[in-house]
Amino acid sequence: MTIRSFTMTKDILRFEGSDKAAYWRKFSMLLTLAVVIATMGLIRNSSAVIIAAMLVAPLMTPILGIASAIIMGWVGRAVRLMVIVWAAAGMSVLIAWFLVWIADVPLGILIPSEVISRSDPGSEDLVIALAAGVAGAYVQIRKSEISLLPGAAIGVSLVPPLAAAGILLYYGEVWRAYEAAFLFATNFGAIILSACIVYLTLGPRQKVLQSDRRRVGFTLGFALTFAFLGAIIAHLSTATYYRYNETKLEAALARRINSWAGPVPVEVLRVDVKMLSKRGEVWLLVDLPFEAQYSISSTADLVPARLKETPFRDIASEVLGPDYVVTLRYQTRISWNVGGGEAIHELPPSSITSGSGG
């Protein structure tokens, strides 16, 4: 393989030369369309629409171009492409914010889960981006494998995190918006690193690194890429550590709640634990026997006596510690068993008594 057939060198020149205006127009149009599709998909909580935005987004090419410029020792071109990518990223965030503002989305509604999911990056996102970068770079070199390109585009998330950041800024969730932008930065750095490795492995490294100037440029670019990813890995490792321990605490608290309830039918709907803020939230559903619907009393009076023997705050402190503030939300549900002869039977004894809630 010669330098002339090293395909990404041509992609770099798309932002240069006599036809750069036409490429800029195409790039701007596709990026705008991708942001519009991604924003609407996130607002509607539609993963299918978000995938469509990933396929339309044109950001993969200039990011792979940065990797190619680093390998070729073209420091100036690599810097210009970085400026282009991050300027495009900033415009994507602004476009997403503007779209939500134009749509006049009520601020009081719940933020869609597809948006929230992109504001909690972890180490697994780095692994995904590394793999997608390898696939994208391989396809660029092996044009015969062009059918793999849509899969690489879907595998790495570039525009959706930027659109999520714009939506979260509209909702006033500045920290979550930062985390969504950080997910984009994770993908950005990982793609460059993995693409550099692919180009070094399959590309003309003997000719590329034959001059001192190119070797210096390559060393500088590779070192900066490693430093950038090192900072990202440090942040992601911390986030992954907290997420792992929060999941363990949530599972432990759910098990302890089931043990605390004993024979009383209690369904744990959701448990959230945040280690940094020392807060927890628990959603429960408590089943009441058939006769409870005829009782005229407060909800606290209907709660089974067993659940009042040990206050819930003691259960939460036992698992999480005394410095946590835990919010408990529970609902009651009338339940009964119906036999073959349509006879109504009470659920397992729940020891309902009157009294105040614990």
Side-chain angles (χ1 to χ4, degrees), residues 73-119:
W74 297 341
V75 178
R77 284 193 172 101
V79 171
R80 282 197 294 273
L81 284 172
M82 287 184 187
V83 172
I84 289 171
V85 169
W86 281 100
M91 288 302 301
S92 299
V93 173
L94 291 177
I95 291 171
W97 181 93
F98 182 72
L99 285 172
V100 182
W101 179 74
I102 285 293
D104 195 23
V105 176
L107 288 173
I109 67 172
L110 293 176
I111 302 176
S113 60
E114 287 287 352
V115 177
I116 297 297
S117 66
R118 285 165 175 81
S119 64

Side-chain angles (χ1 to χ4, degrees), residues 167-227:
I167 294 171
L168 290 166
L169 284 177
Y170 174 81
Y171 279 96
E173 297 283 347
V174 178
W175 177 253
R176 283 180 169 173
Y178 165 79
E179 290 292 321
F182 194 87
L183 176 58
F184 170 81
T186 300
N187 296 331
F188 172 81
I191 291 171
I192 292 176
L193 177 63
S194 56
C196 283
I197 294 173
V198 171
Y199 293 152
L200 275 177
T201 303
L202 302 179
R205 55 184 177 275
Q206 294 85 4
K207 292 187 177 182
V208 168
L209 303 177
Q210 64 185 356
S211 69
D212 292 338
R213 183 177 178 181
R214 283 184 172 175
R215 279 197 294 270
V216 171
F218 164 76
T219 303
L220 176 62
F222 219 65
L224 290 176
T225 301
F226 264 107

Side-chain angles (χ1 to χ4, degrees), residues 280-303:
E281 291 188 65
V282 178
W283 284 260
L284 300 178
L285 194 58
V286 181
D287 284 342
L288 303 178
F290 178 74
E291 289 77 8
Q293 64 183 316
Y294 302 115
S295 302
I296 302 176
S297 56
S298 68
T299 303
D301 293 335
L302 295 175
V303 172

